Amino acid sequence: KLSTYMDLTMHKDKHGNYNVDVRGVGPLVTGAESQKFSVERSKADENGKVEGAFDLKTSASAKGNVTHQLKGGKLGALIEVRDHTLSTIQARLDDLAYTLSTSVNQIHEQGISRTGFTGISFFKQLAGKERAAEFISLSDAVQDNVNNIATAAQPDSPGDARIAIAISGLQGQKLMNEGRATMDDWYNSIVADVGVASSKNRFTLNQQQDIMTQLIKVRDQISGVSIDEETANLMQFQHAFDASAKVIQIADECLKT
């Protein structure tokens, strides 16, 4: 059961005690002594862990923090997904949200609202790209009054929608990936990468399950019990017992005679 959570090895010493070692971490169980795991929230690190996510600590290691030393098993897989797969996708979504927000604001602030004001931001100003997808939202001015949405380039110009048209034109402009991709291209690439990763994981899972099934069959062939084989052996022993009883019976009759 432990090996489903992490990559480990187990052996018995000369006294019959179990010793369990976690690869890359250290001993987990040594005879009657066992180490403890704990978790705590911590700051982001260079390995992809985001701010406030859990670190895994254990008394089995001198370093204490073994979050990125655990490989394999459920824990290793969860850490890999959290700090690499999801953090990469999240960073790309943050980049998209930041670019969308700043690009729309740059154009919107040049426009004239229905009430005659200019310099109004459509989105709230973001401090940076980090967690932009989480914090992107309408500005207070637009949230409170839709008349503050600027669509015209000049005041008192009914039907003037040049600002709105300019904002809609952002969809086809190459603003992402240093001017090599549109926002549509960027988003579609994220969706495609998620699909590829999901498909790859399902394929790998099926492959590992097939290997596991085959190993169980091999183990059963060596140590398992065949009902047919045991029935045949039982009949064989029964006939041998009957034959032995017959020999004793005949010997007893001969002695009597």
Side-chain angles (χ1 to χ4, degrees), residues 31 126 219:
L126 296 172
R219 183 188 66 181

Side-chain angles (χ1 to χ4, degrees), residues 233-249:
N233 289 336
L234 190 61
M235 293 177 65
Q236 206 172 14
F237 297 147
Q238 183 179 359
H239 288 310
F241 179 83
D242 291 342
S244 299
K246 192 70 173 176
V247 169
I248 293 174
Q249 180 185 358

Side-chain angles (χ1 to χ4, degrees), residues 96 99 123 139 156 237 246:
L96 176 62
T99 302
F123 292 108
S139 65
D156 301 323
F237 297 147
K246 192 70 173 176

Side-chain angles (χ1 to χ4, degrees), residues 168-181:
S168 69
L170 292 174
Q171 184 176 9
Q173 295 181 22
K174 294 185 177 181
L175 304 173
M176 307 298 300
N177 196 19
E178 299 179 351
R180 292 193 289 267

Side-chain angles (χ1 to χ4, degrees), residues 99-113:
T99 302
L100 174 65
S101 174
T102 54
S103 300
V104 170
N105 281 346
Q106 286 174 1
I107 299 175
H108 193 270
E109 290 168 2
Q110 300 173 24
I112 308 295
S113 69

Side-chain angles (χ1 to χ4, degrees), residues 40-245:
E40 67 177 38
R41 296 189 184 277
S42 59
K43 296 181 179 180
D45 60 26
E46 67 278 3
N47 294 306
K49 189 182 78 66
V50 297
E51 184 78 20
F54 283 113
D55 262 330
L56 188 64
K57 296 192 173 184
T58 178
S59 55
S61 172
K63 295 181 179 179
N65 190 339
V66 294
T67 306
H68 302 291
Q69 294 173 245
L70 282 177
K71 305 296 181 183
K74 294 177 182 178
L75 283 176
L78 287 172
I79 294 170
E80 174 72 19
V81 169
R82 185 195 70 180
D83 294 348
H84 294 92
T85 307
L86 290 183
S87 63
T88 300
I89 294 170
Q90 192 169 11
R92 293 169 68 183
L93 285 173
D94 288 340
D95 197 1
L96 176 62
Y98 182 78
T99 302
L100 174 65
S101 174
T102 54
S103 300
V104 170
N105 281 346
Q106 286 174 1
I107 299 175
H108 193 270
E109 290 168 2
Q110 300 173 24
I112 308 295
S113 69
R114 186 177 180 181
T115 53
F117 292 101
T118 188
I120 301 173
S121 297
F122 187 82
F123 292 108
K124 284 183 179 179
Q125 298 292 340
L126 296 172
K129 291 183 180 180
E130 187 175 356
R131 301 176 73 180
E134 178 181 353
F135 295 130
I136 186 172
S137 63
L138 294 175
S139 65
D140 292 337
V142 173
Q143 187 87 29
D144 295 338
N145 189 354
V146 293
N147 288 324
N148 285 324
I149 297 176
T151 60
Q154 292 180 343
D156 301 323
S157 302
D160 184 1
R162 282 178 289 175
I163 295 298
I165 293 173
I167 291 176
S168 69
L170 292 174
Q171 184 176 9
Q173 295 181 22
K174 294 185 177 181
L175 304 173
M176 307 298 300
N177 196 19
E178 299 179 351
R180 292 193 289 267
T182 66
M183 285 187 278
D184 278 351
D185 295 336
W186 188 257
Y187 179 76
N188 290 335
S189 69
I190 295 174
V191 175
D193 288 347
V194 171
V196 170
S198 177
S199 178
K200 179 182 177 182
N201 288 340
R202 281 197 298 267
F203 175 79
T204 304
L205 176 62
N206 291 333
Q207 186 181 41
Q208 292 299 317
Q209 286 176 338
D210 291 341
I211 294 174
M212 188 70 176
T213 301
Q214 185 63 27
L215 288 173
I216 291 174
K217 289 181 178 179
V218 172
R219 183 188 66 181
D220 289 344
Q221 287 177 355
I222 298 173
S223 61
V225 176
S226 171
I227 299 298
D228 294 339
E229 184 178 346
E230 294 303 318
T231 302
N233 289 336
L234 190 61
M235 293 177 65
Q236 206 172 14
F237 297 147
Q238 183 179 359
H239 288 310
F241 179 83
D242 291 342
S244 299

